[in-house]
Amino acid sequence: MARPQRGAEITRQIIDLIVERELPPGAPMPTELSLMDDLGVSRTSVREAIKALQALGIVEIRHGHGTFVGSGGPEALQTWLMFRTRTRGDVGRLRDLLELREMIETELTRRVATRHRPELIGELEACVARMRRKGPDGAVADREFHDLLGAEAGFALARELTGLFWDVYRATEAEVGGPVSSPASTAKRHQRIVDALVRGDADAAVEAMHRHFDEVRERANAGPYGGFGESTPGS
């Protein structure tokens, strides 16, 4: 166990170095020789740590150009969540994912209800209109609707997380199977949220978001594993 623990420590040290030197995304990473000297480790250890950081999106290797600080996107977390939620013996993870989405999105909706751009309502209405149509664009519009709310609330991390949760939920529920939500039903749930925002009623907007998730849960519990059924679109 000593080697993996040592590798994890070197990885953390390189992260600390990036933070301490305030290297922004896209900045060149220190050379292998520099890292070997700064950390007092071998070339092999540095290369293994860089590969681990690349998998996390913290480091980006551009062949023929060098190694740079990455954007640190949610790709690694998405891979982990996909694995956990797709495990047959752990369908409760998908329920947990939905609960987390609800907690975050209801609070974002409350904040948006009290203050938002005048153009937001038209943008949300356009998404709802697209949800009423059959086809893959309905799912795209569904995701855009929730992304618009996250962006309007002004919390970049919350927006990233809700987008990540949405993507994982959609990818996983299709594998479980179950009842399908009609485009009209999906659009109706989202229209209630828009109507509350038009009135500037934060409590009603939050209640509409809760009702939206309640209906998703009801459909989900009818799935063959007591888990989540497929929606097209409906989350």
Side-chain angles (χ1 to χ4, degrees), residues 98-137:
L98 187 61
E99 294 293 334
L100 282 171
R101 275 191 59 201
E102 182 176 8
M103 290 177 195
I104 296 174
E105 292 200 41
T106 49
E107 181 58 30
L108 293 178
T109 302
R110 180 183 296 280
R111 295 181 182 228
V112 171
T114 58
R115 183 177 181 182
H116 58 77
R117 294 174 296 113
E119 299 84 4
L120 176 67
I121 299 302
E123 295 167 357
L124 294 175
E125 290 276 13
C127 288
V128 173
R130 288 162 56 201
M131 289 179 209
R132 295 190 177 97
R133 307 168 193 159
K134 294 182 179 181
D137 186 54

Side-chain angles (χ1 to χ4, degrees), residues 9-232:
E9 176 60 28
I10 294 171
T11 301
R12 284 193 293 270
Q13 289 177 342
I14 294 177
I15 292 174
D16 290 343
L17 184 148
I18 292 171
V19 173
E20 290 168 1
R21 297 186 182 180
E22 299 182 349
L23 300 177
M29 283 288 294
T31 64
E32 283 186 354
L33 288 175
S34 176
L35 290 172
M36 290 165 58
D37 184 55
D38 290 340
L39 305 180
V41 298
S42 68
R43 185 185 300 272
T44 299
S45 295
V46 168
R47 289 182 175 179
E48 289 177 352
I50 291 296
K51 287 181 180 178
L53 292 171
Q54 182 185 21
L56 295 172
I58 295 173
V59 162
E60 179 184 354
I61 299 175
R62 303 176 192 170
H63 297 291
H65 297 280
T67 304
F68 301 83
V69 178
S71 61
E75 292 81 8
L77 180 57
Q78 181 173 7
T79 301
W80 177 79
L81 282 173
M82 284 290 292
F83 172 75
R84 294 304 301 269
T85 55
R86 292 172 67 192
T87 304
R88 287 291 186 187
D90 200 11
V91 293
R93 291 287 179 178
L94 200 53
R95 291 192 183 91
D96 291 347
L97 187 66
L98 187 61
E99 294 293 334
L100 282 171
R101 275 191 59 201
E102 182 176 8
M103 290 177 195
I104 296 174
E105 292 200 41
T106 49
E107 181 58 30
L108 293 178
T109 302
R110 180 183 296 280
R111 295 181 182 228
V112 171
T114 58
R115 183 177 181 182
H116 58 77
R117 294 174 296 113
E119 299 84 4
L120 176 67
I121 299 302
E123 295 167 357
L124 294 175
E125 290 276 13
C127 288
V128 173
R130 288 162 56 201
M131 289 179 209
R132 295 190 177 97
R133 307 168 193 159
K134 294 182 179 181
D137 186 54
V140 174
D142 189 338
R143 192 191 193 289
E144 288 179 5
F145 183 98
H146 292 274
D147 191 59
L148 280 168
L149 290 177
E152 195 69 22
F155 292 88
L157 181 57
R159 180 186 181 186
E160 279 192 76
L161 285 173
T162 55
L164 171 64
F165 293 163
W166 197 98
D167 290 339
V168 172
Y169 171 86
R170 288 283 302 169
T172 306
E173 64 165 0
E175 296 185 3
V176 176
V180 177
S181 178
S182 70
S185 176
T186 298
K188 183 178 180 180
R189 291 199 303 272
H190 291 81
Q191 186 63 53
R192 292 191 195 113
I193 299 169
V194 177
D195 292 343
L197 294 177
V198 169
R199 300 194 302 271
D201 189 333
D203 290 336
V206 168
E207 177 62 23
M209 184 62 79
H210 278 307
R211 289 181 64 187
H212 165 50
F213 279 99
D214 285 343
E215 292 186 37
V216 175
R217 262 189 298 272
E218 288 175 10
R219 188 187 73 254
N221 289 331
Y225 299 97
F228 289 84
E230 182 179 3
S231 66
T232 314

